[in-house]
Amino acid sequence: MLKCKICGARIEDDVAVCPSCGAKVAGGVESPSTSAGGPTATTGTSAPTRPSSPVIKTTCAHCGAEVIGEHRFCPQCGVNLKEAAEEKNAAPAPQERRCPQCGSDVQENSRFCPDCGMTLEKDIATTPQPSESVLKSSDFVLIEGNANIGSFYMCTHEVTQEEYQTITGKNPSRFHGDKLPVEQVSWYEAVEYCNMRSRAEGLTPCYSGSEDSDYDCNFTANGYRLPTEAEWEYAATEGKYHSPHKYSGSDEIDCVAWYSGNSDNKTQNVMTKTPNKLGLHDMTGNVWEWCWDKYNSFSFCRVFRGGSWFSNTDSCDISYRGSCSPGDRDPYQGLRLVRSVQ
């Protein structure tokens, strides 16, 4: 045992820092068995034995060394033990890094997913936790089905930039505003957003596959997905009410839609026009909405419906069908979410 010259505390022979005062040991200790006059004499009488106390062991939060006894400083690295522990506890938890195809946890530098084998991009997105104020289940309404279409839930509005960025950490839109509909989103990105939001809320993703192998949809899963074209048209024509309007909710387009005649050549905040009888806003205009379906059995293109801020009145007609490559991104293409009834 050695003794610190600064505070007098007893120190193990192999430590570099006094655990009591933090002073460096090298050159600053003396053996308690010697003094200026030589070896300390003994009286031959042993000191009374004190009751033993429980041994206190802690781990330094900075270097990981085991610290025995009540000490202020780590005898190996010299940091203040209490401050190091508080700093570690205050540090934010690392964000999860997940495979975009199967949702498995992925190590920081992995090139391939250990579960599905998918090649991972270097800048694979982490999955942030959703904000309760942004993601609300009350935004969805039940669309009662009929003999041909099963019941489903549909969001009352198009996905906003705030919602999209909360989940993906990105905002690809040309026009910027939290309550504006997100746009310049490809069909592939729309599908991945559905899966990412499903995982963020603890739901089962509906989609599997990739751009290279195409996608499959599990319609029995409880996660988010794009509407089928039949579901979209059924909701646009007000479901069980089956209104014969030219536009969703009215024959007067200015009442229900942002289109080329009133949009000022840009998107507008969602839910600022009159909804249809089901409570769905912007089923006509603002941005085209991606659907699950291909345009026909021979086509690679995916369908979008509803018209946009850039569309004329004919293109906004409920019956109008549009389509383009699933990889295309345009400032008039967005999406709306649905969920299957379980």
Side-chain angles (χ1 to χ4, degrees):
M1 295 287 288
L2 303 175
K3 186 170 75 172
C4 176
K5 282 188 174 182
I6 303 301
C7 68
R10 294 184 181 278
I11 308 172
E12 297 291 339
D13 293 341
D14 58 347
V15 301
V17 179
C18 174
S20 296
C21 69
K24 291 184 178 180
V25 171
V29 296
E30 62 180 6
S31 171
S33 61
T34 60
S35 64
T40 303
T42 59
T43 62
T45 303
S46 61
T49 303
R50 296 183 179 181
S52 60
S53 300
V55 177
I56 300 175
K57 295 182 179 181
T58 57
T59 300
C60 175
H62 182 260
C63 70
E66 184 179 60
V67 181
I68 301 176
E70 297 186 33
H71 299 302
R72 291 178 58 201
F73 300 90
C74 174
Q76 297 300 324
C77 67
V79 303
N80 186 299
L81 294 171
K82 181 178 179 181
E83 292 178 358
E86 291 175 348
E87 182 177 346
K88 181 178 180 180
N89 292 334
Q95 291 182 320
E96 294 181 339
R97 186 169 183 262
R98 296 184 182 275
C99 171
Q101 176 163 300
C102 69
S104 299
D105 291 336
V106 180
Q107 294 296 321
E108 183 68 26
N109 297 317
S110 297
R111 291 184 57 203
F112 303 94
C113 174
D115 289 334
C116 70
M118 180 180 181
T119 302
L120 304 173
E121 297 179 4
K122 291 183 179 180
D123 60 345
I124 180 173
T126 56
T127 304
Q129 294 301 309
S131 167
E132 290 295 336
S133 63
V134 175
L135 309 181
K136 300 177 181 178
S137 59
S138 59
D139 289 339
F140 286 77
V141 296
L142 174 64
I143 312 298
E144 296 180 24
N146 58 21
N148 299 314
I149 297 176
S151 298
F152 58 96
Y153 296 100
M154 177 173 270
C155 190
T156 57
H157 61 267
E158 295 158 334
V159 173
T160 66
Q161 293 176 29
E162 181 181 25
E163 290 171 328
Y164 191 86
Q165 190 163 6
T166 296
I167 294 298
T168 67
K170 302 175 183 178
N171 184 2
S173 306
R174 173 184 293 184
F175 310 106
H176 290 277
D178 286 347
K179 302 304 179 184
L180 293 177
V182 68
E183 19 90 4
Q184 296 195 138
V185 176
S186 72
W187 185 90
Y188 292 128
E189 291 165 335
V191 165
E192 286 304 324
Y193 170 77
C194 291
N195 277 355
M196 290 179 70
R197 179 163 167 176
S198 296
R199 295 187 193 104
E201 297 186 23
L203 304 175
T204 302
C206 294
Y207 297 111
S208 59
S210 67
E211 294 185 27
D212 296 328
S213 63
D214 210 353
Y215 282 86
D216 292 317
C217 182
N218 177 7
F219 289 95
T220 63
N222 65 354
Y224 296 103
R225 59 181 177 83
L226 301 177
T228 65
E229 189 174 11
E231 286 173 333
W232 187 93
E233 188 164 324
Y234 182 71
T237 55
E238 302 180 308
K240 63 181 182 180
Y241 302 107
H242 195 64
S243 302
H245 296 305
K246 182 177 177 66
Y247 311 108
S248 185
S250 177
D251 288 322
E252 300 295 329
I253 190 170
D254 285 281
C255 295
V256 295
W258 295 108
Y259 70 111
S260 61
N262 64 7
S263 67
D264 196 24
N265 291 321
K266 60 185 179 181
T267 56
Q268 301 292 328
N269 285 351
V270 301
M271 302 180 72
T272 52
K273 287 292 185 179
T274 303
N276 66 15
K277 287 183 179 179
L278 298 177
L280 305 174
H281 296 259
D282 301 313
M283 290 294 285
T284 298
N286 223 357
V287 290
W288 291 98
E289 299 175 11
W290 284 114
C291 294
W292 162 250
D293 305 70
K294 292 180 179 179
Y295 191 74
N296 56 45
S297 59
F298 307 103
S299 177
F300 178 69
C301 295
R302 297 285 178 166
V303 171
F304 49 73
R305 300 292 295 268
S308 75
W309 61 270
F310 189 68
S311 302
N312 59 29
T313 55
D314 290 338
S315 298
C316 287
D317 191 302
I318 288 177
S319 63
Y320 188 90
R321 301 177 73 217
S323 70
C324 66
S325 167
D328 286 355
R329 302 180 184 91
D330 291 297
Y332 35 79
Q333 289 173 328
L335 68 152
R336 183 187 302 262
L337 302 184
V338 300
R339 291 180 63 187
S340 299
V341 172
Q342 302 300 305

